[in-house]
Amino acid sequence: TDFTVIKFNGSYYFGKTVSVFNIKKISFYDLNRPFQDSSISLSPRIARILVNLLGLSKNDTVLDPFCGTGTILIEALLLNYRVIGIEIDNKKVIGSRKNLRWVAEKTDHVESNRFNVYKGDATKLKLPINSVHGIATEPILLPKMLKYPDENTAREKLEEAYVVYKHSLRSMKKILKKDGRIAIVSPGIKTRNKKILNFDFTGLIEKEGFRVVNRYRDNNPFIITSKDQKIVRNIWLIEHAY
């Protein structure tokens, strides 16, 4: 049996390995799928993290209301969940459907009745109330930046993102089951003076009737970034507050 030992805040934690990321298999579905879009850069690794955080049971339904080319949907499908994608861009709707059909053809256990992708607005979801077991999504991908922006530019971009998050979270709350969870990415921006700016995500979710899952990192997100990246990904796990 394989264990990992982690030291954190003066304490040691032991974790049993229950799953191993199969990079060869995941790369196959990522690099060979028929529809690609280089402007959407969510990796299968991050997509798998989001889906795993939901802690769902086999055959539960996972929604990505900003599905793009279907990266999160593919990872959820490979884990035996039913998936629903919503996308406002018609070209990506068609491309995402094509990708999911291709995955079904390449995988024995995936059936065509386990996925649907619809054209729609994530801020005005029209799915039945309390119909989705879990939501995994990255609502907004900030534009690629060749240079680190100044603070004013960064704040303007984050304010634009905040509006999208506010309305989409409000819409997600209606269709998420009462015991369901949302694994969601919020953006941060590194500025030229080495600051990382974020909008007030915890304040936003409180306003919209959510809370960070109590046992999840003391209300702090997982942060995914690298030395030269201008955009920071904050990964949160949230649930209904009441």
Side-chain angles (χ1 to χ4, degrees):
T1 302
D2 181 63
F3 285 88
T4 298
V5 183
I6 299 172
K7 183 179 181 182
F8 182 72
N9 283 350
S11 298
Y12 288 90
Y13 298 85
F14 293 81
K16 180 182 177 182
T17 300
V18 296
S19 178
V20 177
F21 191 80
N22 188 331
I23 187 64
K24 184 176 180 180
K25 180 179 179 181
I26 299 303
S27 295
F28 171 79
Y29 288 109
D30 182 41
L31 299 177
N32 295 287
R33 54 184 171 174
F35 179 70
Q36 307 275 348
D37 188 334
S38 61
S39 66
I40 302 175
S41 60
L42 184 70
S43 73
R45 180 175 63 88
I46 297 176
R48 179 65 65 99
I49 289 172
L50 294 174
V51 175
N52 282 339
L53 281 172
L54 296 176
L56 301 179
S57 301
K58 183 179 178 180
N59 292 322
D60 281 352
T61 301
V62 176
L63 167 70
D64 181 359
F66 296 84
C67 73
T69 61
T71 302
I72 291 174
L73 302 181
I74 290 172
E75 296 306 312
L77 201 59
L78 292 172
L79 291 170
N80 294 310
Y81 300 124
R82 298 181 181 277
V83 302
I84 299 174
I86 305 294
E87 173 57 49
I88 200 166
D89 184 328
N90 192 58
K91 179 181 177 181
K92 291 174 184 174
V93 171
I94 296 170
S96 185
R97 288 174 182 164
K98 184 181 296 184
N99 284 342
L100 292 171
R101 285 195 294 267
W102 177 81
V103 170
E105 292 170 1
K106 298 294 181 182
T107 310
D108 293 336
H109 69 273
V110 174
E111 300 174 359
S112 60
N113 64 350
R114 298 177 68 86
F115 57 85
N116 289 291
V117 181
Y118 304 104
K119 186 178 188 301
D121 186 342
T123 66
K124 301 174 183 177
L125 295 171
K126 297 181 179 180
L127 297 172
I129 294 174
N130 300 329
S131 63
V132 174
H133 297 92
I135 299 173
T137 192
E138 181 173 45
I140 189 167
L141 183 64
L142 295 175
K144 292 182 179 180
M145 299 179 183
L146 299 178
K147 298 180 180 180
Y148 291 101
D150 58 61
E151 286 194 32
N152 287 336
T153 300
R155 292 185 192 282
E156 287 176 3
K157 296 295 182 184
L158 291 171
E159 286 174 6
E160 293 173 4
Y162 181 92
V163 174
V164 175
Y165 276 74
K166 179 178 70 173
H167 292 293
S168 60
L169 282 168
R170 192 169 298 172
S171 185
M172 290 181 212
K173 192 173 191 299
K174 296 177 182 178
I175 65 169
L176 182 68
K177 288 181 175 293
K178 294 304 179 183
D179 60 347
R181 290 175 173 173
I182 301 176
I184 188 169
V185 179
S186 71
I189 301 178
K190 292 181 184 177
T191 64
R192 63 181 60 163
N193 58 359
K194 308 305 180 185
K195 286 186 178 180
I196 297 179
L197 300 182
N198 298 279
F199 60 74
D200 182 11
F201 187 81
T202 53
L204 174 61
I205 64 170
E206 288 173 5
K207 290 179 182 177
E208 299 304 327
F210 292 101
R211 65 188 174 198
V212 178
V213 173
N214 288 336
R215 62 184 178 82
Y216 182 67
R217 287 288 304 275
D218 298 323
N219 287 357
N220 292 318
F222 286 127
I223 299 175
I224 296 180
T225 186
S226 64
K227 183 179 179 181
D228 296 323
Q229 277 186 313
K230 282 74 175 177
I231 305 299
V232 175
R233 281 186 166 99
N234 304 292
I235 297 180
W236 305 82
L237 184 61
I238 65 176
E239 61 187 1
H240 289 284
Y242 45 81

